[in-house]
Amino acid sequence: MCRSLYGIDVMITDEFEPKILEVTFSPDCKRACRFNPEFFNDVFDCLFLDGKKNVQKLWFAFELI
């Protein structure tokens, strides 16, 4: 069992269609940590511990970004 963290840059067109610009391995998470200081704890809890109970918390963290 292995896991990894990817960053996906998405652009929204004038017709509100998402276009993927870039996918990166090991993304810079400074912005996410600024908005949610528990970002890495939430991500690693979801990936490696009993993440089922923390999925809602993790999605909330992504919505803040």
Side-chain angles (χ1 to χ4, degrees), residues 10-30:
V10 179
M11 177 180 68
I12 305 296
T13 66
D14 292 337
E15 293 81 31
F16 299 102
E17 296 175 356
K19 300 290 181 182
I20 295 177
L21 301 176
E22 177 183 40
V23 178
T24 56
F25 177 74
S26 188
D28 180 15
C29 296
K30 289 180 194 172

Side-chain angles (χ1 to χ4, degrees), residues 13-51:
T13 66
D14 292 337
E15 293 81 31
F16 299 102
E17 296 175 356
K19 300 290 181 182
I20 295 177
L21 301 176
E22 177 183 40
V23 178
T24 56
F25 177 74
S26 188
D28 180 15
C29 296
K30 289 180 194 172
R31 187 171 158 201
C33 291
R34 251 187 304 161
F35 289 106
N36 178 16
E38 293 294 316
F39 177 77
F40 279 116
N41 291 334
D42 294 341
V43 169
F44 287 119
D45 187 33
C46 183
L47 292 176
F48 297 104
L49 301 174
D50 183 19

